[in-house]
Amino acid sequence: MKLMELSIIEQTTFIYYHVLGIFGVPANFLTIVLLSRGGCGLSKGITLYLVSMTTADLLIIIFNVIIYYILGDYFPISLLHYTSIASVNEVINYVVIDCSVWLTVAFTVDRFVLICCQKFKEKYCREKTAAVVTVTVCIVFCFKNITLYFAFEPVYIVNNVEWGAQFQLTYFTLPGWVTFDWLDTILNPLLPYFLILFLNVLTVRHIVMVNRTRRALRGQHNNQNSDDPEMQSRRKSIILLFSISGTFIVLWMPYVVFFLISRITGRHYVPVQHTDPLLIADYTSDMFQLLSSCTNTCIYALAQTKFREKLRNAIMYPFIAIIKSVK
């Protein structure tokens, strides 16, 4: 495969996914290690959510970017393209993406309860609740997507060997599969996307109302609420919430918009027509969606001072060790 023989959009995605894989694997792995060791100024419950989300993102990079896109291009004739293996990889991709999205929803709900539901937060915002929610999300979407394995068929057969994986035609016609497809569509991306957006709107509304009330009670008609201890304690949660869920909303927006347009209009593109605007929009939306699996490290570094310090120490440690060994 020669890069210059590909179309512009294919060249772009080829380079993009290589960069994504090179950065995404070590970044997510390092984030998991640092968060798991603690000392980042976060509660055990929120740390569990963040570790789970980052683990799901790491698996997305491994299975969706490296195995599906990169290795699939380098080894067009390999075990990866056997129908059975390709079908398993497709199922795993569905599972890890669903888990990543719904763990982000769970995180958003947890922060919403903490900020907006004072009476309920002591019961809900705990490590035990986070563990139950995380395990439940993983189990539900594992069982939900296992059935997809039986929806695939080989793209072609050579010497009685089945190659590639594509949806059977019956997936689009049989009532059971059509119902499953709509359920899958609602569960991801429609419901989680608009749920996260809705919860963030409610959170912003609550913060504005609380700020007005507290300023009125304290007799402050300017921005002196920075000295308010209660507002200071919420600030980190608010920054982390808006950073993670806001990034999710922005990066998933092209995917959701493309999905809605293609479903409403019923338009489809021919895969070989690489200048088709709809194909370019599809490629671009996938690129943005997968980018959301590499942003958490940057978000934590920007939003959390202690995590930033631990990250800097972890990056500098090899260089310091080399300098000491030389001395």
Side-chain angles (χ1 to χ4, degrees):
M1 180 188 63
K2 295 182 179 180
L3 183 61
M4 299 308 297
E5 295 178 354
L6 303 176
S7 65
I8 294 177
I9 186 63
E10 287 179 314
Q11 292 179 29
T12 303
T13 55
F14 181 83
I15 297 171
Y16 177 82
Y17 288 133
H18 278 70
V19 174
L20 207 60
I22 292 170
F23 173 78
V25 172
N28 282 313
F29 180 77
L30 184 59
T31 300
I32 293 169
V33 172
L34 294 180
L35 289 174
S36 299
R37 295 179 65 181
C40 295
L42 300 169
S43 67
K44 292 183 178 180
I46 201 63
T47 298
L48 180 57
Y49 279 126
L50 297 181
V51 170
S52 302
M53 291 161 57
T54 309
T55 302
D57 290 341
L58 175 60
L59 293 175
I60 290 174
I61 297 298
I62 292 174
F63 287 99
N64 209 329
V65 175
I66 295 178
I67 294 179
Y68 187 82
Y69 283 107
I70 299 178
L71 295 183
D73 287 337
Y74 280 111
F75 305 102
I77 303 177
S78 66
L79 292 175
L80 295 175
H81 291 274
Y82 285 177
T83 298
S84 56
I85 297 176
S87 299
V88 169
N89 190 59
E90 290 279 5
V91 171
I92 292 175
N93 285 337
Y94 273 87
V95 171
V96 293
I97 290 176
D98 282 349
C99 288
S100 176
V101 169
W102 278 97
L103 286 172
T104 304
V105 173
F107 165 80
T108 305
V109 171
D110 183 272
R111 297 298 86 186
F112 170 77
V113 172
L114 178 72
I115 296 169
C116 303
C117 307
Q118 297 300 304
K119 295 181 179 179
F120 187 54
K121 69 177 184 179
E122 296 297 333
K123 295 182 179 180
Y124 185 82
C125 301
R126 299 182 301 169
E127 183 182 11
K128 182 178 179 180
T129 303
V132 171
V133 171
T134 299
V135 171
T136 301
V137 166
C138 295
I139 292 175
V140 167
F141 287 104
C142 280
F143 278 104
K144 173 245 176 185
N145 289 301
I146 282 176
T147 54
L148 274 175
Y149 179 84
F150 304 99
F152 293 104
E153 66 179 3
V155 178
Y156 51 90
I157 301 175
V158 179
N159 296 327
N160 293 324
V161 178
E162 298 179 339
W163 294 92
Q166 64 182 2
F167 281 114
Q168 303 175 22
L169 291 178
T170 53
Y171 181 81
F172 306 98
T173 57
L174 288 180
W177 282 124
V178 172
T179 303
F180 178 90
D181 184 59
W182 273 106
L183 177 63
D184 182 62
T185 299
I186 293 172
L187 290 176
N188 190 15
L190 297 183
L191 181 58
Y193 185 84
F194 290 106
L195 187 58
I196 290 175
L197 185 61
F198 177 68
L199 289 175
N200 276 273
V201 170
L202 290 182
T203 302
V204 171
R205 178 176 175 273
H206 175 81
I207 292 171
V208 171
M209 293 178 62
V210 168
N211 284 347
R212 289 177 180 175
T213 303
R214 294 185 69 82
R215 282 199 301 266
L217 293 174
R218 293 165 63 89
Q220 297 177 342
H221 300 286
N222 49 36
N223 291 328
Q224 298 174 2
N225 63 320
S226 58
D227 296 326
D228 188 340
E230 186 172 339
M231 293 306 298
Q232 285 282 3
S233 65
R234 294 185 186 180
R235 184 162 299 169
K236 291 183 179 180
S237 294
I238 293 170
I239 292 174
L240 193 61
L241 168 64
F242 289 165
S243 298
I244 293 178
S245 57
T247 302
F248 176 86
I249 290 171
V250 171
L251 293 180
W252 273 78
M253 185 177 294
Y255 183 88
V256 173
V257 171
F258 171 80
F259 176 84
L260 292 175
I261 291 175
S262 61
R263 282 301 180 99
I264 292 173
T265 61
R267 279 199 61 198
H268 300 281
Y269 59 81
V270 180
V272 295
Q273 295 180 353
H274 297 112
T275 57
D276 188 335
L278 201 63
L279 180 144
I280 295 174
D282 188 20
Y283 275 46
T284 304
S285 65
D286 284 342
M287 291 164 65
F288 276 103
Q289 178 226 316
L290 291 172
L291 178 61
S292 66
S293 301
C294 290
T295 56
N296 282 345
T297 302
C298 298
I299 291 172
Y300 303 153
L302 293 173
Q304 300 292 317
T305 303
K306 292 184 178 181
F307 179 85
R308 187 162 57 248
E309 293 175 356
K310 291 173 72 69
L311 180 62
R312 183 171 58 249
N313 293 336
I315 294 174
M316 293 302 298
Y317 178 80
F319 300 100
I320 296 174
I322 293 174
I323 293 173
K324 288 182 177 180
S325 65
V326 171
K327 292 181 178 180

